[in-house]
Amino acid sequence: MEIGGRVLEPTADEFRRLLSTVVDYLCATVESLPDAPVARSDGIAELLADPRLRQAPQEAGRPLGELLEVIDRAASKGFNPSHPGLLGFVPGGGIVTAGVADLVADVLNRYTGQATPSPGLVAMETDVLRWLSDLFDLPEEAAGILTTGASLAVLSALITARTALLPADFLDGTIYVTAQTHAHVAKAARLLGFPSEAVRLVALDAGLRMDPAALQASITADRAAGRRPFFVVASAGTTNTGRVDPLAAVADIAADKGIWLHVDAAYGGFFQLTERGRKALTGIERADSLALDAHKGMFLPFGTGCLLVRDGRLLRQAHSMGDADYLQDLRGSTLPDFADYGPELTRDFRGLRLWLPLQLHGVAAFREMLDEKLDLARFAHRELSTVPGLILSEPPELSTFCFRLSSEDATAELLRRVNDEGRVYLSSTRIDGQFVIRLCVLNFRTSLSQVSDAIDSLCRHTAGLAAEM
Ligand SMILES: *Cc1c(COP(=O)(O)O)cnc(C)c1O
């Protein structure tokens, strides 16, 4: 008997068979990951023209088996962030137990925008946020919200700081970033109605970190010119180079000048679980707000970030709309109503994606994984620094570094040849306008095997390119 059909509620037996079909598919997919190609760019036009993929929904349904085949085919092109060889961008890998949590949360389908409908589940999500606040030594009054990613986290951070520090006419409010700050800050500023000149680029030091003296000078000059400096973003691991801004020095200036310190820890934040990470991130505990991406350093599937705010009341003040009449039955819980702490009202039960893996695997499992990634990145840097012709950035502070050949064309060709082999996938960026290859170890599935593959491939193709010159 085919599962599905016109009945929206399968019987218990049908549901079981439906899940077991899906589980068989997912287990086979995960099992085949190491041998599957990490990226495929061939046949995309055919894929996009495939009528099985592009068929509009019909009056009658289609069999689940057929639909899983369509999904599998659709997922077969592009690059695969679950693959252990993904060393480009900022990979996380996607632990399957977070997927299990999503399934449980979705099938339970409880409402967590407010605490009254789901006090127990909201308490669990609150406990996850408390655990995160404790990880960064934030005070008791800290509060937070799980978001879809750092982009929404910084949007809420910016509106919180704006509400707390600027008058209703906020257009001369000024925000400080560097040329290495992720573009999500400027995007949030634009979405909130700040003019582009509100975002100031602070000079970098030779190591591509924010120069605190330049920050101090910019703030002083802007104040003298009648602007209102109110928000500075320090990166706890930039996307380009993994560098950590001098957090303590920036915190000193922010405190002295009375401006809000937001730490963008989207990439690097969870290294705080490790001893070396905690050392590299010293000063992060002084943030007024802090953004994290659990879909990076906690290896979750895409879609989970977090904002933590030192003074939780300010986060609530900026987002709470007070009481809407149609929600009057939901008042009165002593737990936080998440709708008062972020832009969303209705939301998925995001907390379980963190709660279940943390409780199931234990914190040490994550710490050990992150430590291994720090080791692998250092190892890769050490090995590549012996390859004639490769020009490397400083050794990684966290798990990212960049390198290039002497010419841009050769660097681009090196990247193409390495990626074309299909075993590992690296990405590129520009530093000071110069094209560089970037290696980032953060997928939990990445082990010595893939890092060795990457080193081997880079060595061979660097030598090959040198021979062709
Ligand atoms: C990924 C990243 C972001 C953006 O986060 P999203 O989750 O994609 O919104 C911001 N800052 C840094 C440093 C990042 O690595």
Side-chain angles (χ1 to χ4, degrees):
M1 186 182 48
E2 195 42 62
I3 305 157
R6 267 177 193 253
V7 183
L8 293 184
E9 184 85 283
T11 64
D13 195 45
E14 286 170 336
F15 187 35
R16 220 169 264 126
R17 284 193 296 124
L18 184 143
L19 289 181
S20 104
T21 304
V22 170
V23 167
D24 286 348
Y25 165 64
L26 292 177
C27 288
T29 302
V30 172
E31 219 173 1
S32 71
L33 272 176
D35 302 319
V38 56
R40 281 190 64 183
S41 56
D42 58 299
I44 289 176
E46 291 92 318
L47 175 74
L48 298 182
D50 185 339
R52 286 173 303 166
L53 230 84
R54 311 306 297 268
Q55 180 181 321
Q58 307 288 304
E59 279 299 307
R62 297 156 77 186
L64 178 66
E66 179 188 320
L67 297 175
L68 285 176
E69 273 172 35
V70 170
I71 294 168
D72 190 59
R73 183 158 149 66
S76 67
K77 308 290 171 170
F79 62 83
N80 185 351
S82 300
H83 193 284
L86 205 287
L87 300 167
F89 307 101
V90 184
I95 47 176
V96 299
T97 48
V100 172
D102 278 358
L103 176 67
V104 172
D106 287 355
V107 175
L108 289 181
N109 189 36
R110 297 305 160 82
Y111 191 81
T112 56
Q114 254 112 352
T116 298
S118 302
L121 302 184
V122 168
M124 284 156 71
E125 186 161 330
T126 306
D127 291 345
V128 167
L129 289 163
R130 186 66 249 164
W131 177 77
L132 290 168
S133 293
D134 288 344
L135 179 61
F136 294 97
D137 300 323
L138 294 179
E140 204 52 48
E141 327 70 89
I145 183 88
L146 295 180
T147 63
T148 53
S151 297
L152 281 205
V154 81
L155 187 78
S156 278
L158 201 46
I159 200 151
T160 302
R162 187 181 88 182
T163 307
L165 299 176
L166 295 184
D169 177 1
F170 58 78
L171 293 183
D172 54 7
T174 308
I175 297 160
Y176 299 87
V177 302
T178 74
Q180 293 297 321
T181 305
H182 192 284
H184 74 318
V185 178
K187 182 176 181 179
R190 188 205 287 175
L191 292 178
L192 291 176
F194 286 96
S196 58
E197 63 271 20
V199 182
R200 291 280 203 255
L201 285 189
V202 176
L204 294 158
D205 68 13
L208 298 176
R209 301 172 183 88
M210 180 182 277
D211 176 356
L215 172 66
Q216 172 121 13
S218 277
I219 294 172
T220 305
D222 283 335
R223 279 231 165 107
R227 300 196 59 91
R228 291 180 200 267
F230 81 104
F231 196 82
V232 58
V233 179
S235 299
T238 60
T239 311
N240 266 347
T241 69
R243 293 280 142 214
V244 179
D245 282 331
L247 302 176
V250 174
D252 284 342
I253 295 168
D256 179 49
K257 302 281 184 188
I259 73 176
W260 186 282
L261 170 60
H262 177 77
V263 176
D264 177 14
Y267 154 63
F270 284 104
F271 285 110
Q272 178 84 349
L273 280 167
T274 69
E275 206 176 307
R276 284 174 289 178
R278 194 169 256 276
K279 216 164 141 207
L281 302 180
T282 300
I284 197 167
E285 68 287 349
R286 295 174 62 192
D288 292 302
S289 59
L290 177 65
L292 298 162
D293 262 344
H295 55 224
K296 293 174 180 166
M298 282 277 293
F299 321 119
L300 259 55
F302 293 123
T304 309
C306 175
L307 174 68
L308 301 173
V309 176
R310 167 176 299 278
D311 183 346
R313 287 168 314 169
L314 299 179
L315 178 65
R316 190 172 186 284
Q317 267 164 31
H319 292 85
S320 174
M321 292 305 287
D323 292 329
D325 293 338
Y326 40 80
L327 298 176
Q328 64 184 2
D329 304 338
L330 305 183
R331 290 171 196 152
S333 175
T334 53
L335 290 159
D337 289 330
F338 290 129
D340 288 341
Y341 291 83
E344 296 163 298
L345 175 60
T346 301
R347 60 205 290 281
D348 49 346
F349 175 32
R350 247 161 243 164
L352 204 62
R353 310 179 110 204
L354 277 159
W355 188 93
L356 184 76
L358 276 167
Q359 299 277 345
L360 186 68
H361 304 293
V363 178
F366 292 91
R367 178 177 300 113
E368 284 161 16
M369 267 296 163
L370 286 160
D371 252 327
E372 186 199 18
K373 306 314 157 203
L374 292 174
D375 288 338
L376 288 173
R378 280 162 172 71
F379 171 73
H381 188 278
R382 237 181 0 257
E383 293 293 307
L384 291 177
S385 66
T386 66
V387 177
L390 275 188
I391 303 160
L392 273 75
S393 66
E394 296 172 53
E397 230 170 330
L398 297 172
S399 69
T400 303
F401 63 92
C402 299
F403 50 92
R404 63 181 174 87
L405 295 172
S406 57
S407 92
E408 175 158 340
D409 287 349
T411 309
E413 180 59 18
L414 174 62
L415 178 63
R416 201 182 61 70
R417 290 187 188 183
V418 169
N419 285 350
D420 275 356
E421 287 184 7
R423 289 186 300 163
V424 297
Y425 186 93
L426 286 81
S427 58
S428 69
T429 186
R430 284 185 185 273
I431 309 277
D432 283 335
Q434 202 153 42
F435 184 96
V436 294
I437 301 175
R438 196 180 145 279
L439 189 148
C440 175
V441 191
L442 198 58
N443 182 334
F444 76 101
R445 292 192 178 99
T446 301
S447 66
L448 185 59
S449 158
Q450 291 80 30
V451 171
S452 301
D453 278 351
I455 294 166
D456 166 68
S457 181
L458 285 161
C459 285
R460 266 188 294 111
H461 290 300
T462 300
L465 280 162
E468 288 166 30
M469 296 290 192

